[in-house]
Amino acid sequence: MKFNTKWEFKEVVREFTIQEGRRMRFRKNDGKRVRAVCKVKDCKWVVYASRDYEDSCWQVKTFFNDHTCPREARNRATNRNWVAGKLVKKLRKYPNFRNCETTTYFKTKYDLSLNRNSISRALCDARNIVYGDAKEQYAMLRDYGETLLKTNPGSTVQICTKPQPSGEVIFERMYVCLTGCKSGFRAGCRPLIGLDGAFLKTVFGGQILSAVGQDANHHIYVIAWAVVEVENFENWKWFLDLLHEDLGDYKTHGWNFISDMQKVIS
């Protein structure tokens, strides 16, 4: 096996030993070679890597994967950064991931018994990474809108914000209808528009409103969408007014609408 850097090799070795439930240490670790051995005195497990003859990568030269020591439920290699790194992916998928679920997750997947305080600190770090990324992305929405308009001339992008007493503004809602989507719908889709809303599973919440059609192959065709704080009459009216401006008068073109009969759009 070959690795681009020594750091990459060391991370793979550490991940492997955690999966195996063993402890290891790096007996040699310099600019030309790395040797990792099991921490148990009489265990023969060892992996050795060094730079290849072309000095372009790190290559495993020796790997004796035969532990004579028992598996352990605790491993000091599972430090705060390692635990937080594993939790980032879980939090992106399950924003409300709790401490008790975290304990079960590591016990089930890695057969590890982690300290409760370590889990709490790592979960806090992971939330800061995930939620911080989301907050920064909301701050870049205007750049995103400008990019859409630049790459898709004729599109409609509208971003609404709410001013705060401190002088800052926070996100309220956003509408997007790309020129290709509205032109394609008018040119080749059935005159039927489906309206629906769905929850956004993020820490900031909100809902996405969508207008979709059906093409000649019976496939869903996205026309426009909007991100709003809550699905209510005001936001639906705002969304449909913009959709009406983009597609033209529904009576003139004979558009028909279908929805799930919610009161806010009835």
Side-chain angles (χ1 to χ4, degrees):
M1 296 181 66
K2 295 183 179 182
F3 302 88
N4 293 325
T5 64
K6 181 177 72 172
W7 179 86
E8 182 180 336
F9 167 73
K10 292 175 66 176
E11 286 299 306
V12 170
V13 171
R14 185 174 72 160
E15 186 72 23
F16 178 76
T17 55
I18 291 173
Q19 295 277 2
E20 292 290 305
R22 268 49 175 224
R23 294 175 298 148
M24 65 88 190
R25 64 187 178 90
F26 292 104
R27 176 173 290 177
K28 291 190 179 294
N29 183 13
D30 55 39
K32 293 185 178 180
R33 55 187 176 173
V34 178
R35 182 189 299 273
V37 298
C38 184
K39 277 194 173 183
V40 178
K41 185 177 180 180
D42 297 325
C43 185
K44 302 298 183 181
W45 184 90
V46 62
V47 59
Y48 171 79
S50 62
R51 289 186 175 274
D52 67 347
Y53 66 94
E54 295 180 350
D55 201 32
S56 60
C57 65
W58 288 74
Q59 185 174 5
V60 175
K61 303 295 180 63
T62 302
F63 183 37
F64 184 73
N65 188 28
D66 188 10
H67 281 281
T68 57
C69 57
R71 184 182 179 91
E72 299 179 0
R74 295 184 181 274
N75 195 324
R76 297 187 67 178
T78 57
N79 55 27
R80 183 171 172 176
N81 290 334
W82 182 86
V83 177
K86 298 298 180 183
L87 291 176
V88 165
K89 294 181 180 179
K90 296 295 291 185
L91 282 173
R92 292 193 192 280
K93 189 174 183 180
Y94 307 104
N96 297 320
F97 205 58
R98 297 175 297 174
N99 287 39
C100 59
E101 295 172 323
T102 302
T103 303
T104 304
Y105 167 71
F106 282 104
K107 185 63 178 176
T108 303
K109 185 168 184 178
Y110 299 98
D111 196 17
L112 289 171
S113 298
L114 300 180
N115 181 275
R116 183 179 299 177
N117 292 332
S118 299
I119 288 179
S120 298
R121 290 191 293 266
L123 195 57
C124 182
D125 292 343
R127 286 197 180 104
N128 289 335
I129 293 173
V130 175
Y131 301 161
D133 289 347
K135 188 175 181 179
E136 291 177 1
Q137 289 172 13
Y138 271 99
M140 299 173 64
L141 276 180
R142 294 200 181 278
D143 294 334
Y144 172 67
E146 290 295 330
T147 302
L148 288 179
L149 294 175
K150 183 178 179 180
T151 55
N152 300 271
S155 300
T156 303
V157 177
Q158 186 173 120
I159 301 174
C160 300
T161 58
K162 293 190 297 186
Q164 301 298 301
S166 61
E168 297 181 349
V169 294
I170 62 173
F171 174 82
E172 182 181 13
R173 55 194 181 186
M174 179 179 183
Y175 169 88
V176 178
C177 181
L178 301 179
T179 182
C181 292
K182 53 187 175 184
S183 299
F185 173 75
R186 288 194 295 252
C189 291
R190 292 182 172 86
L192 180 65
I193 300 175
L195 303 174
D196 197 10
F199 289 99
L200 293 174
K201 296 181 179 180
T202 67
V203 64
F204 296 109
Q207 291 186 269
I208 182 169
L209 310 181
S210 61
V212 299
Q214 188 180 52
D215 62 18
N217 294 321
H218 304 285
H219 294 161
I220 296 297
Y221 186 92
V222 179
I223 305 169
W225 66 94
V227 175
V228 298
E229 288 183 307
V230 64
E231 186 179 4
N232 56 21
F233 177 81
E234 180 185 353
N235 284 327
W236 269 113
K237 183 178 184 303
W238 170 79
F239 177 73
L240 293 174
D241 285 343
L242 292 173
L243 184 67
H244 183 266
E245 293 178 10
D246 282 323
L247 298 182
D249 185 74
Y250 70 94
K251 294 182 179 179
T252 303
H253 295 88
W255 308 136
N256 295 284
F257 294 87
I258 184 173
S259 70
D260 55 1
M261 294 295 291
Q262 292 197 36
K263 294 181 180 180
V264 293
I265 54 176
S266 297

